[in-house]
Amino acid sequence: QVHLVESGGGSVQAGGSLRLSCEASGDTYYNYLGWFRQAPGKEREAVAAIYTIGDATYYADSVKGRFTISQDNARDNAKNTAYLQMNSLHPEDTAKYYCAAGRLTVPTWWNYTALYANWGQGTPVTVSS
C-alpha cells in the first residue's frame, strides 16, 4: 500500500496562490500521482496528474494555465513527493484536495478516480472572494 500525506492547504483570497505537497512512501507499485478535489455536496473530480516515470502531466480544463503539478523524485517511487502549485485561485476552487497513487496503463484515463488505489486524507483549500 502506498502511504500518502498531503499538506499545504489553507485559506486565501481570490487571486492568491497555494502550494500543496503530497509525500508518498511504502509500496512503489504505482506510475501516476494525481490530485483530486471534492467540494461540499459535489462529486470528487480530477484536477491534475503526473506520470512518475516520464514526467508527463495532465490537467482538468478548469485549472489549465493556473495549476502546475510537479514531482521531485521522478522514477523513484520509494521517496517521491508531488506538488500542486495553484495560482490565480478562484472561489470555485474551494474544496478538499486529495492526493492519489495509481498504476494506469492508458494515459487518457488519468482522471478516473476508480483507477487510483491509494488515497491520502486530504487537505482543505478555501478561497474567499
Side-chain angles (χ1 to χ4, degrees):
Q1 185 174 1
V2 182
H3 185 56
L4 301 165
V5 179
E6 304 100 332
S7 61
S11 297
V12 65
Q13 288 194 321
S17 299
L18 282 173
R19 189 192 195 207
L20 306 182
S21 299
C22 170
E23 279 192 52
S25 61
D27 190 3
T28 59
Y29 191 69
Y30 65 92
N31 58 1
Y32 281 80
L33 286 172
W35 284 100
F36 296 76
R37 65 187 181 187
Q38 188 165 19
K42 293 189 176 182
E43 290 190 358
R44 192 169 297 189
E45 64 175 358
V47 175
I50 188 165
Y51 180 49
T52 62
I53 301 172
D55 273 338
T57 57
Y58 308 86
Y59 296 94
D61 288 343
S62 59
V63 306
K64 275 181 186 174
R66 300 188 298 122
F67 291 13
T68 302
I69 188 171
S70 62
Q71 60 184 338
D72 66 1
N73 272 304
R75 290 168 286 279
D76 187 358
N77 285 350
K79 50 181 179 179
N80 202 0
T81 300
Y83 303 96
L84 187 68
Q85 177 66 43
M86 305 186 295
N87 298 328
S88 301
L89 282 161
H90 304 156
E92 51 266 36
D93 295 316
T94 294
K96 195 165 188 181
Y97 283 69
Y98 297 87
C99 179
R103 186 157 187 89
L104 281 62
T105 56
V106 180
T108 51
W109 294 351
W110 71 270
N111 55 343
Y112 283 43
T113 57
L115 297 180
Y116 291 79
N118 300 277
W119 293 80
Q121 294 300 306
T123 184
V125 171
T126 303
V127 185
S128 58
S129 55

